[in-house]
Amino acid sequence: MSGVEETMAEAGRVDWSHFSLADFLELRWRLLHDWQAVLPGGEYFGQARIGDVCYDIQIEWLADDELAVTMSPFFPHDEASDELPYDELVPGMPYDTQHGASLISSRRSFLQLTYESFIDLAERSILETVARFPRLRSAASKQTGFWDRHDAILCKIREQDDEDM
């Protein structure tokens, strides 16, 4: 069994419910018609999940002034790890990322894809990448609901901030 097959057996399939056809079409429209106005820090369009690994899908300007669709993995911080957590947007829920595990498509190559071909290519790439990194593989094999709880708390924080304004 290959690393990809083992990862799929351990963690199941990639969940695309947070990046629908409508999200894909919005991203595609932006890349076709308004790409020069993309914010310097990038813009978020959705995510793909496998176990407790969450790949954020966004468009951003890379260092060489190339606009690309990037997919970067995030996963719950392992408290036993010697490494400090990457960030903590939600109190008490720190998370990590894995250097070298992001997936990048140029604007031009992304625009050649249909939703189905993007999903197929991205899913294969995600599984191959997860299989290469032990921390990602470990997080992908767990399904603790971390990101659903994280998102619910973050949503409440943002609603409270809006009410306070």
Side-chain angles (χ1 to χ4, degrees):
M1 205 184 284
S2 74
V4 172
E5 290 166 338
E6 287 175 15
T7 301
M8 287 180 72
E10 290 172 5
R13 299 201 56 81
V14 178
D15 173 7
W16 291 100
S17 62
H18 300 275
F19 186 72
S20 66
L21 173 60
D23 297 322
F24 175 84
L25 293 174
E26 181 183 347
L27 172 53
R28 184 176 171 76
W29 185 93
R30 188 67 191 273
L31 289 170
L32 279 169
H33 302 288
D34 200 22
W35 60 274
Q36 291 173 313
V38 171
L39 298 172
E43 297 175 28
Y44 170 86
F45 283 85
Q47 57 190 220
R49 296 180 181 181
I50 176 168
D52 277 353
V53 177
C54 174
Y55 265 87
D56 281 359
I57 302 165
Q58 63 177 31
I59 47 178
E60 60 185 313
W61 293 102
L62 301 182
D64 55 0
D65 286 334
E66 176 193 13
L67 186 64
V69 176
T70 64
M71 299 180 67
S72 300
F74 301 92
F75 49 93
H77 175 64
D78 179 358
E79 291 179 8
S81 172
D82 291 335
E83 295 182 38
L84 293 174
Y86 172 72
D87 206 344
E88 188 173 340
L89 287 176
V90 171
M93 299 185 82
Y95 57 89
D96 288 316
T97 189
Q98 176 66 57
H99 179 71
S102 293
L103 305 171
I104 299 169
S105 299
S106 70
R107 173 179 170 264
R108 181 177 293 131
S109 63
F110 183 88
L111 286 171
Q112 295 173 5
L113 300 171
T114 64
Y115 180 64
E116 292 79 14
S117 63
F118 169 74
I119 296 297
D120 289 344
L121 176 64
E123 188 161 308
R124 186 100 188 134
S125 299
I126 287 170
L127 292 170
E128 288 172 355
T129 303
V130 165
R132 286 194 347 251
F133 295 97
R135 293 171 70 211
L136 274 178
R137 196 164 51 245
S138 173
S141 68
K142 298 172 186 162
Q143 185 63 266
T144 66
F146 177 88
W147 292 108
D148 290 328
R149 293 192 315 278
H150 182 277
D151 292 350
I153 294 168
L154 185 58
C155 188
K156 284 183 183 175
I157 291 170
R158 289 182 173 158
E159 285 173 3
Q160 186 62 45
D161 288 347
D162 289 345
E163 290 174 10
D164 293 344
M165 290 179 78

